[in-house]
């Protein structure tokens, strides 16, 4: 597939598809930076606040991307990414760059790329960080593919770690997010154990913070982050679906997450009793 790209500037026309908890603050940062922004979301009401700030709402994915220089997607799962791809790909112009920031895994990335016409560049760029980091431009962007033409645009969202060829960003995201989710789940159980043993929570927390687990303790008690348990289960499920064997701890974590439909929309910190 032959690809061409255009260096992104503030004159770049951006289409942003997917305005959930992460997509909305990411799109807002691009809008505030002066980029021309067209937005689309399956639930159209989610676009209203951004339209009030200067974005243009599109009625469909195809309408959103038509004429866009850069397309950014932030979608919930592989099914959503593939469905939106089918709707928008026929309208992509030659020379456009598609940046997918969704967490969908390398298999889905390869499927998305296989559907692209010649002349459209693809970057898989899933992010680490929750809504707080999305709002302040502090995301870690794990990028597979050639990012140079859109470095300035990505800098509005966070810092870029270049991972290699297309698909490597999606792969590294599964590694990192599995470690974080697994660590948070384990810490939640550690605190439950401490409570059962009669230890004060403040004592346990301060000791854990002083340990090598300190960073994860901060995530477990974060109040401005929001990573729903259902999406955490989805991400761990994607890691397990790669077919890599010998991951019994991750399988157990996935079982715990999937068994808590009562917490599906709650942040993973809700695992803490």
């Amino acid at each position: 597939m032959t690809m061409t790209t255009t260096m992104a500037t503030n004159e770049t026309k951006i289409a942003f598809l997917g305005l959930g908890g992460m997509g909305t603050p990411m799109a807002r940062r691009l809008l505030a930076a002066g980029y021309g922004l067209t937005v689309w979301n399956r639930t159209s009401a989610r676009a209203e606040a951004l339209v009030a700030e200067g974005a243009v709402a599109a009625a469909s994915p195809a309408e959103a991307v038509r004429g866009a220089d850069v397309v950014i997607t932030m979608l919930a799962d592989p099914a959503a990414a593939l469905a939106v791809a089918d709707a928008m790909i026929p309208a992509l112009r030659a020379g456009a760059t598609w940046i997918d920031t969704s967490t969908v895994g390398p298999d889905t990335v390869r499927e998305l790329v296989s559907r692209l016409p010649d002349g459209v560049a693809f970057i898989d760029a899933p992010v680490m960080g929750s809504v707080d980091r999305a709002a302040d431009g502090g995301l870690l962007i794990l990028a597979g593919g050639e990012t140079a033409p859109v470095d300035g645009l990505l800098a509005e969202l966070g810092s870029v770690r270049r991972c290699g060829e297309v698909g490597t960003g999606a792969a590294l995201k599964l590694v990192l997010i599995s470690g974080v989710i697994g660590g948070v789940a384990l810490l939640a159980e550690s605190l439950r154990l401490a409570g059962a043993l009669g230890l004060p929570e403040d004592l346990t927390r301060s000791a854990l913070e002083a340990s090598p687990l300190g960073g994860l303790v901060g995530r477990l008690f974060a109040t401005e982050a929001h990573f729903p348990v259902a999406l955490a289960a989805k991400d761990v499920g994607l890691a397990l679906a790669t077919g890599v064997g010998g991951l019994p701890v991750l399988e157990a974590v996935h079982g715990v997450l999937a068994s808590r439909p009562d917490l599906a929309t709650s942040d993973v910190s809700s695992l803490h009793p």
Side-chain angles (χ1 to χ4, degrees):
M1 179 169 55
T2 302
M3 295 182 179
T4 59
T5 55
T6 301
M7 192 68 67
T9 69
N10 281 61
E11 300 301 316
T12 301
K13 296 179 180 178
I14 301 174
F16 201 110
L17 290 76
L19 302 175
M22 292 292 289
T24 294
M26 290 169 67
R28 178 169 285 120
R29 286 195 60 82
L30 296 175
L31 192 61
Y35 288 100
L37 195 67
T38 299
V39 295
W40 173 86
N41 193 70
R42 192 177 305 277
T43 304
S44 58
R46 286 185 176 270
E48 292 175 357
L50 291 170
V51 169
E53 296 169 30
V56 175
S60 68
E63 181 182 325
V65 306
R66 192 168 288 117
D69 302 303
V70 177
V71 174
I72 303 175
T73 48
M74 171 53 89
L75 303 162
D77 53 36
L82 292 169
V84 169
D86 284 343
M88 76 176 195
I89 283 175
L92 290 173
R93 72 168 186 82
T97 297
W98 177 9
I99 305 170
D100 183 41
T101 64
S102 318
T103 300
V104 294
D107 288 345
T108 299
V109 165
R110 283 188 283 271
E111 177 61 26
L112 293 173
V113 171
S114 73
R115 301 183 184 190
L116 287 179
D118 287 347
V120 175
F122 186 93
I123 301 168
D124 60 303
V127 301
M128 292 292 294
S130 189
V131 293
D132 51 343
R133 297 290 181 88
D136 65 18
L139 294 171
L140 173 60
I141 303 166
L142 308 173
E146 178 51 64
T147 66
V150 292
D151 278 346
L153 184 159
L154 292 175
E156 299 294 339
L157 305 177
S159 59
V160 176
R161 178 175 289 272
R162 294 171 181 82
C163 303
E165 63 185 13
V166 171
T168 55
L172 185 57
K173 172 62 185 283
L174 294 188
V175 172
L176 297 186
I177 199 63
S178 294
V180 171
I181 294 169
V184 167
L186 180 59
L187 279 176
E189 291 196 358
S190 297
L191 287 165
R192 189 173 293 111
L193 174 63
L197 294 174
L199 294 171
E201 182 176 294
D202 287 349
L203 171 64
T204 303
R205 178 176 175 178
S206 63
L208 286 169
E209 286 174 335
S211 79
L213 299 171
L216 286 173
V217 175
R219 179 60 188 87
L220 182 61
F221 286 90
T223 57
E224 295 183 359
H226 186 66
F227 181 32
V229 169
L231 289 182
K234 180 267 295 184
D235 287 356
V236 175
L238 286 172
L240 294 173
T242 60
V244 175
L247 303 174
V249 174
L250 206 56
E251 290 175 357
V253 170
H254 183 259
V256 169
L257 296 171
S259 69
R260 297 302 305 269
D262 56 313
L263 299 178
T265 61
S266 301
D267 183 65
V268 291
S269 62
S270 62
L271 296 171
H272 166 45

